[in-house]
Amino acid sequence: MSTHKPATIAVRTGIESDTQHHAVVPPIYLSTNYGFPAFGEVPKYDYTRSGNPNRGLLEQTLFELESGKGAVITNCGTSALNLWATAFLGPDDLIVAPHDCYGGSYRLFNTRAQKGDFKVLFVDQSDPSALTEALAQKPKLVLVETPSNPLVRVVDIAALCEQAHAVDALVAVDNTFLTPVFQKPLELGADFVIHSTTKYINGHSDVIGGVVITKTEQHAEELAWWGNCIGATGTPFDSYMTLRGLRTLGARMRVHEESSREILSYLQNHQSVGTIYHPSLPEHPGHAIALKQQSGFGSMLSFEFAGSFEQLKTFVSALKLFSLAESLGGVESLICHPASMTHRAMGEAALAEAGVSQQLLRLSVGLEDVQDLISDLEQAFNVAAEDN
Ligand SMILES: *Cc1c(COP(=O)(O)O)cnc(C)c1O
């Protein structure tokens, strides 16, 4: 296992590994199949659905970053979650998932449970009695997503893992929002880490991908078997691109976070801004746990727009450097109105229960110059203020 820091692992893994031409950057292998060296002699790679050098290198980089023993790269984050559930759940098994998990994860588990593939219970994992009640039903798997989307609620990973392991449940943490640069769930007791690599891991909003990382070699073998069986694995080109994006993870996360800090202090002093949601704020309910289990607070934040709904729309339209779009974690800054975009499928009652109001806006702070970003917010707030 590598003793290097995340930035070094991300940059160096696989560099100078080409033995044929000594290419510094590992070459891309697009071939779907590989020759057998001799009759009956199975090579390391034989067919790309089951294995490929570029996918293998991305897997190695990611499991070393998360201090795991193995990984399976999938064609998207959703298929990583699906692979994990398929590998470990039968019709009588229960999975416990967060009530405010990523919308696609909610749809996946809910729909498959309705088909009878397994049972699912969605609970507020920051509510100790709700969690204890759910674990009393002896789930096989527990999914944790911390910080959550869009209100960045925080769950105590170590405490939850201890409780889950007491009833023999296996725990996966969806670490998409923080990446191993800011949070290492396996070191806090989790059995698996899942990422939508579409977000910060690739970081350039040009590849859809996912990964399941395991704490044990045995689980990695089981997941690799299932990944090949159901055809969930990622393509060589996507793996090549994702590793290229991943190389700069350490530097990107540092700037994402520095800029978020400046944007937060700007927003805190603005009359058009109500409640701000970010784990770095002392008044945030998850602040103490975040300090304990995270080494950074991340660059996803949301806030209540303190003005009319018409002014909110004017504000969003007036922004020039924040694109109105879903997704997150790319170099470009984004703004999202969860109630009409990422979370629109939830319906009004579920939105209210999850605390997602019509006034809520979510920012994914990108890597543009932060003074330019703040000036852009300022001019858009001014345009909105004039719009009475
Ligand atoms: C985007 C996302 C997913 C789903 O990943 P895809 O790559 O879009 O399939 C899962 N979990 C979280 C937290 C996400 O942000």
Side-chain angles (χ1 to χ4, degrees):
M1 199 160 83
S2 177
T3 53
H4 289 129
K5 299 276 194 297
T8 313
I9 295 171
V11 171
R12 298 275 345 165
T13 308
I15 294 286
E16 285 188 59
S17 60
D18 173 39
T19 51
Q20 193 177 11
H21 297 296
H22 309 286
V24 172
V25 171
I28 183 166
Y29 291 87
L30 293 172
S31 183
T32 53
N33 50 1
Y34 295 83
F36 281 54
F39 186 88
E41 231 178 273
V42 183
K44 181 173 179 190
Y45 300 110
D46 60 351
Y47 186 63
T48 289
R49 177 171 15 85
S50 46
N52 161 274
N54 297 97
R55 201 161 73 225
L57 192 52
L58 179 60
E59 284 165 352
Q60 186 195 341
T61 313
L62 284 171
F63 78 67
E64 288 193 1
L65 278 168
E66 290 282 8
S67 302
K69 286 279 169 57
V72 179
I73 299 296
T74 56
N75 52 45
C76 65
T78 306
S79 68
L81 287 153
N82 195 39
L83 168 62
W84 176 63
T86 304
F88 295 106
L89 295 174
D92 295 326
D93 295 324
L94 174 69
I95 175 172
V96 169
H99 74 312
D100 57 352
C101 63
Y102 178 76
S105 312
Y106 185 92
R107 180 176 53 206
L108 170 70
F109 295 129
N110 201 33
T111 310
R112 288 202 59 187
Q114 281 170 358
K115 285 196 76 183
D117 295 344
F118 47 73
K119 299 183 169 73
V120 68
L121 204 56
F122 295 102
V123 299
D124 179 354
Q125 297 175 343
S126 58
D127 173 354
S129 62
L131 183 64
T132 304
E133 227 172 89
L135 292 177
Q137 299 189 40
K138 298 217 179 282
K140 186 100 182 278
L141 298 178
V142 179
L143 175 70
V144 180
E145 209 182 294
T146 180
S148 74
N149 181 16
L151 293 175
V152 283
R153 289 197 185 91
V154 176
V155 173
D156 188 330
I157 297 174
L160 183 142
C161 288
E162 210 176 290
Q163 267 186 287
H165 288 158
V167 298
D168 292 327
L170 295 168
V171 180
V173 175
D174 183 330
N175 204 22
T176 298
F177 270 39
L178 289 178
T179 82
V181 172
F182 290 147
Q183 180 166 273
K184 303 279 290 283
L186 298 183
E187 292 181 354
L188 296 164
D191 304 284
F192 306 92
V193 170
I194 291 172
H195 283 278
S196 166
T197 60
T198 310
K199 317 294 168 53
Y200 291 99
I201 295 288
N202 176 57
H204 294 73
S205 308
D206 53 7
V207 186
I208 297 275
V211 65
V212 190
I213 297 154
T214 67
K215 185 182 232 161
T216 70
E217 272 158 21
Q218 192 203 323
H219 281 152
E221 278 169 30
E222 287 176 59
L223 284 166
W225 188 91
W226 276 101
N228 182 52
C229 173
I230 66 175
T233 51
T235 70
F237 190 72
D238 285 355
S239 295
Y240 180 89
M241 288 287 283
T242 302
L243 184 59
R244 190 180 192 275
L246 179 59
R247 294 299 190 199
T248 54
L249 184 72
R252 281 190 285 114
M253 294 310 282
R254 193 166 62 235
V255 179
H256 275 302
E257 175 155 272
E258 277 168 17
S259 297
S260 302
R261 216 175 305 143
E262 292 195 41
I263 285 179
L264 277 167
S265 58
Y266 165 75
L267 292 175
Q268 277 178 300
N269 297 312
H270 205 287
Q271 65 205 25
S272 300
V273 176
T275 309
I276 305 175
Y277 304 91
H278 192 256
S280 68
L281 303 173
E283 64 272 21
H284 187 278
H287 180 65
I289 302 166
L291 273 178
K292 191 178 68 168
Q293 73 186 13
Q294 301 174 199
S295 54
F297 294 111
S299 61
M300 293 304 299
L301 61 101
S302 50
F303 67 91
E304 306 280 346
F305 184 86
S308 70
F309 192 59
E310 285 308 311
Q311 286 176 317
L312 176 148
K313 288 197 270 186
T314 306
F315 167 72
V316 170
S317 316
L319 287 166
K320 295 187 174 76
L321 298 180
F322 290 80
S323 305
L324 181 64
E326 296 176 355
S327 198
L328 57 113
V331 295
E332 74 290 355
S333 290
L334 303 175
I335 189 161
C336 164
H337 179 246
S340 67
M341 295 168 67
T342 45
H343 292 63
R344 67 178 181 272
M346 283 175 71
E348 251 172 73
L351 280 175
E353 194 175 332
V356 179
S357 81
Q358 290 293 332
Q359 295 299 113
L360 189 75
L361 292 171
R362 186 189 80 178
L363 299 184
S364 173
V365 177
L367 303 183
E368 302 89 343
D369 184 279
V370 70
Q371 288 314 319
D372 287 340
L373 291 177
I374 290 172
S375 303
D376 190 41
L377 291 166
E378 179 73 9
Q379 65 80 24
F381 278 128
N382 291 340
V383 174
E386 283 160 23
D387 181 25
N388 288 314

